């Protein structure tokens, strides 16, 4: 009788839905240094996200190798919701085309959780530049004998790819000058060593408000709420500059769907929180959120889009 009871209990247990032990903390690995724009967004979310999840959320910065160090750390972690990867479009959708070999594979090693924010690229110039907008900037490049130098935050970065798109779509004569990060490029722009720069609005807003740089055009389908008077490139007759340096959250492969769904729900509630939303918008970044399926589609689309441009221009990581 006892044996039959034990067998029946074991069989019933198999039929019950899986119940996953809740981790006491969730570690969000950020593939960039502390104090940078990706880190700032992660830290803005962490407290409220912890409340939504009912646990402590810790931010762990793992910079290096263009995001690969953070990626490898997460992909080797337990798939139980205790470790997540927060990264930008570069590591998630561009690296696979820039590097011959990567220690991680987005399809094999990760599952999408949610898009978090969109970051619009903005074309800026030094205050002394006579161009009033992007159209005048492009026209001026065509009149010069030598290509106009434009800086980027690095080879294969979104700002670099935006420069390539601008040249292709407008016929502008441009010379790409790669820097190790946005900060030195902006410094040289203000100093007149380069003539233009594409960058995320959050990283440029302070310079614009301080009168150190001027905005020439937004590389987006609509104007930016923080810069309502700055026309889009498309409004200025320049089509085909389609850049979005989105940030998103991923989990290790084999993380159970119900765990991913719970984190997605908590994150979307966090992004809807008025205080969190206001803080993000104030910095110039747009909170968006998505389903895991929507993020997967965006990641696939952008991987294909940037791969096509990178192949056409024969761009390789330095």
């Amino acid at each position: 009788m006892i044996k039959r009871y034990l067998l029946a209990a074991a069989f019933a247990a198999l039929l019950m839905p899986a119940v996953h032990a809740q981790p006491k903390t969730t570690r969000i690995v950020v593939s960039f240094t502390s104090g940078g724009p990706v880190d700032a967004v992660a830290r803005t979310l962490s407290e409220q996200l912890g409340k939504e999840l009912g646990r402590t959320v810790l931010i762990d910065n793992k910079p290096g190798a263009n995001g690969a160090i953070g990626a490898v750390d997460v992909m080797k972690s337990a798939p139980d919701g205790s470790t997540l990867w927060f990264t930008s479009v570069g590591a998630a959708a561009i690296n696979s085309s820039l590097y011959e070999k990567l220690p991680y594979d987005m399809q094999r090693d990760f599952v999408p959780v949610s898009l978090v924010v969109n970051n619009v690229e903005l074309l800026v110039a030094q205050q002394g530049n006579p161009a009033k907008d992007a159209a005048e900037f492009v026209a001026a490049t065509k009149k010069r004998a030598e290509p106009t130098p434009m800086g980027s935050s690095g080879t294969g970065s979104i700002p670099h790819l935006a420069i390539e798109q601008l040249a292709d779509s407008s016929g502008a004569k441009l010379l790409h000058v790669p820097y190790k990060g946005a900060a030195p490029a902006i410094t040289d722009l203000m100093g007149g060593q380069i003539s233009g720069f594409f960058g995320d609005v959050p990283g440029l807003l302070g310079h614009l408000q301080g009168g150190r740089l001027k905005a020439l055009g937004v590389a987006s389908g609509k104007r930016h709420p923080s810069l309502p008077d700055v026309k889009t490139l498309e409004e200025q007759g320049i089509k085909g500059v389609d850049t979005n340096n989105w940030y998103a959250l991923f989990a290790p492969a084999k993380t159970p769907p119900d765990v991913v769904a719970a984190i997605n729900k908590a994150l979307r509630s966090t992004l809807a929180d008025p205080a969190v939303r206001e803080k993000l918008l104030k910095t110039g970044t747009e909170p968006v959120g998505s389903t895991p399926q929507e993020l997967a589609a965006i990641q696939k689309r952008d991987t294909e889009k940037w791969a096509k441009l990178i192949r056409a221009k024969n761009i390789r990581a330095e």
Side-chain angles (χ1 to χ4, degrees):
M1 180 68 71
I2 293 175
K3 189 173 182 181
R4 285 182 182 177
Y5 174 78
L6 291 174
L7 286 172
F11 183 70
L14 290 173
L15 296 179
M16 291 176 63
V19 177
H20 304 288
Q22 292 292 314
K24 294 181 180 179
T25 63
T26 288
R27 182 173 65 105
I28 295 181
V29 174
V30 177
S31 288
F32 302 91
T33 56
S34 177
V38 182
D39 175 74
V41 171
R43 293 180 189 278
T44 298
L45 300 174
S46 61
E47 184 178 353
Q48 185 61 33
L49 181 59
K51 291 178 183 178
E52 297 289 344
L53 289 170
R55 69 188 82 136
T56 302
V57 173
L58 305 173
I59 305 301
D60 188 6
N61 298 92
K62 297 279 185 181
N66 227 16
I69 290 177
V72 170
D73 180 290
V74 174
M75 79 182 203
K76 291 181 177 179
S77 300
D80 59 2
S82 62
T83 303
L84 303 170
W85 186 35
F86 187 50
T87 189
S88 67
V89 64
I94 297 175
N95 277 0
S96 57
S97 298
L98 280 180
Y99 296 89
E100 289 187 11
K101 291 183 180 180
L102 279 179
Y104 66 94
D105 181 280
M106 290 304 300
Q107 304 305 314
R108 180 193 67 208
D109 300 320
F110 299 98
V111 292
V113 176
S114 177
L115 193 65
V116 178
V117 298
N118 284 332
N119 280 308
V120 171
E121 294 300 295
L122 182 69
L123 176 61
V124 294
Q126 61 186 133
Q127 274 294 347
N129 193 303
K132 295 178 183 178
D133 56 25
E136 289 189 5
F137 180 85
V138 167
T141 71
K142 296 177 181 179
K143 294 176 182 178
R144 298 190 184 103
E146 299 296 326
T148 297
M150 282 192 66
S152 81
S153 53
T155 299
S157 64
I158 284 286
H160 175 199
L161 299 178
I163 291 170
E164 299 292 350
Q165 286 187 331
L166 179 62
D168 284 352
S169 62
S170 68
K173 291 169 59 179
L174 304 173
L175 173 66
H176 173 231
V177 182
Y179 287 81
K180 292 183 178 180
I186 292 170
T187 297
D188 274 7
L189 177 62
M190 290 188 290
Q193 282 77 29
I194 55 176
S195 299
F197 177 73
F198 273 107
D200 296 352
V201 171
L204 296 171
L205 206 53
H207 297 293
L208 296 171
Q209 293 168 342
R212 294 180 291 275
L213 295 173
K214 68 162 68 173
L216 301 181
V218 179
S220 173
K222 60 182 180 179
R223 296 193 189 190
H224 196 279
S226 298
L227 303 164
D229 296 329
V230 181
K231 293 181 179 180
T232 67
L233 297 183
E234 190 163 342
E235 284 181 296
Q236 300 179 50
I238 303 170
K239 298 181 179 181
V241 186
D242 175 25
T243 58
N244 177 12
N245 189 14
W246 48 260
Y247 304 165
L249 201 63
F250 296 86
K254 299 182 181 180
T255 300
D258 60 326
V259 173
V260 172
I263 298 170
N264 178 276
K265 181 180 179 182
L267 177 62
R268 295 175 79 173
S269 295
T270 297
L271 291 171
D273 180 81
V276 171
R277 189 171 181 81
E278 181 183 0
K279 190 171 182 179
L280 290 172
L281 288 170
K282 192 174 181 180
T283 65
T285 193
E286 179 192 6
V288 283
S290 73
T291 66
Q293 294 77 19
E294 287 168 342
L295 173 56
I298 291 167
Q299 192 266 336
K300 181 177 184 294
R301 179 200 68 197
D302 279 10
T303 298
E304 294 171 351
K305 177 180 75 176
W306 295 126
K308 185 177 179 180
L309 180 63
I310 288 167
R311 284 195 302 267
K313 300 292 182 178
N314 196 29
I315 299 171
R316 289 289 176 267
E318 295 177 342

